[in-house]
Amino acid sequence: MKFANKISEIMNAFNHHPLRDDELDEFYYDGTMEYRFGDKYTSHIDDIFESCQRPTDQNIFLLLGHKGCGKSTELNNMARNLRNEGYPVHTVQCGVDLDLVNPLYTDLLIMLGEALICIAEKVEYNLTKELAEKIVSFWSVTITEETTVTDIQQMLIEAGVEVGTPAFLSSMIKFFAKIKAEIKHSKEKQTIYKQTINRRSSDWLSMIKQAADEITMHLNGKQPIIIFEDLDKLNLKDAWEIFSNYAATLTGVSFPIVYTFPIALYYDPRFAALDSFYVTKTLPMIRLTTMKGEPCPKGIDSIIEIIEKRATRSLFDDKALHALINKTGGSLRDLFFTINTASKIAERRGSETITESDAGVALNELKGNLTRRIERKHYDFLADIYNGNRQKIEDKEMLLEMLQATTVLEYKNGDRWQNVHPLIADFLVEQGLDKICNTSPKNEA
């Protein structure tokens, strides 16, 4: 990524990918937490950061946050800060390694073991021969007549690798890469590996714990830390089944793990049952207004700081800049989308500045994307929030649906509260739907 000094460079500077380690120093802005939580000393990301350095019995975290709130960048920054403190951190990109349409809890256990092997290689620690032999024995999966699966013993023989040597870790990483590919592309092979773990899940967890303990001892008490990204993209049914039905298994380890988790499930009545297993934390949107609709200038200024970290301010007309910020409601993903769209319009016009007109075209495109996610049955619900009911929302099922669609955004200032996305609010007003008028079919006589 490169800082944008001209219009043609904006799309590179405002791509939607989270900031990586090599980009954080130049492009990361650390001043948003006060305008997410309403207090400069409150930060759920800092809570996790500090807890990872203080071993306790509760060290498995669920991190919730809306699409576009900057969660992945904050996690990357936290991981870098932990590494700077001497902690080995590994981030699992589940969107790449996991079939998010057909996930199983056993997939997470496989990737958890792989993450520890990767950490061991990174910190140049060879697992004890006893543990290495246990792992090989565990993954010596019986090859059925119907299906051939990756065999670790055969891989080691072909590579001429002995158990307990540095080359063993590299071979194990290749082994896990192959079984992840098999799991992702073959339901039949996924079932075989699932059965392997289900039959001896306690044995596999024991090996995971032993590997973590050995690494911790090697690093003089610094525990490994694993972050599972993209699990907030799971559909709600799968997320609930994995994290509820297998809570005892997923939390049965001694080192910190952070799982991203769908924020919509926070409003499911069953969510409270997870509190006895996981520590739940949330990253809210950046507040641009108060719950009463009054402007929050410092929140707006914090987003301007984010923009100025990536591009020179002169590329934006002031009215265009404020329109792009205010109409995207603190969603950084929506903001970056509209900045990129507006920059394309400006570049085609031969302009070196994004104007209010360019911003209007971009915002209309985003509004079209958002309005396609709502139907007539949602109008009264959205109008109720628009007219001030931003906390006592009774229809939790519809709230879950609208949060997932990002047509309703969530904020925090002490308590959680919701507001209609500014562009959806504009749509309601333009269509004369901003008052509750019983438009839902179920209310029609």
Side-chain angles (χ1 to χ4, degrees), residues 47 172 227 398 438:
D47 290 345
M172 284 303 303
I227 298 171
M398 192 169 287
N438 295 324

Side-chain angles (χ1 to χ4, degrees), residues 37 65 86 112 124 132 148 161 168 174 187 201 215 282 285 291 347 385 411 441:
F37 293 97
L112 188 57
E124 299 180 342
T148 301
V161 172
F168 171 73
K174 292 177 183 177
K187 188 170 179 61
S201 61
I215 291 168
T282 304
M285 293 290 186
M291 190 165 58
E347 187 176 8
I385 299 175
Y411 304 92

Side-chain angles (χ1 to χ4, degrees), residues 28 41 51 114 133 136 142 166 187 191 241 256 277 295 298 321 399 408 418:
Y28 177 72
Y41 299 112
S51 295
E114 179 198 26
E133 288 174 344
V136 170
T142 301
K187 188 170 179 61
T191 300
E241 287 184 357
F277 294 98
K298 291 185 177 180
L321 182 64
L399 178 59
V408 170
Q418 296 78 38

Side-chain angles (χ1 to χ4, degrees), residues 141 152 193 274 293 321 371 399 420:
V141 180
I152 181 59
Y193 289 118
L274 299 180
L321 182 64
T371 54
L399 178 59
V420 178

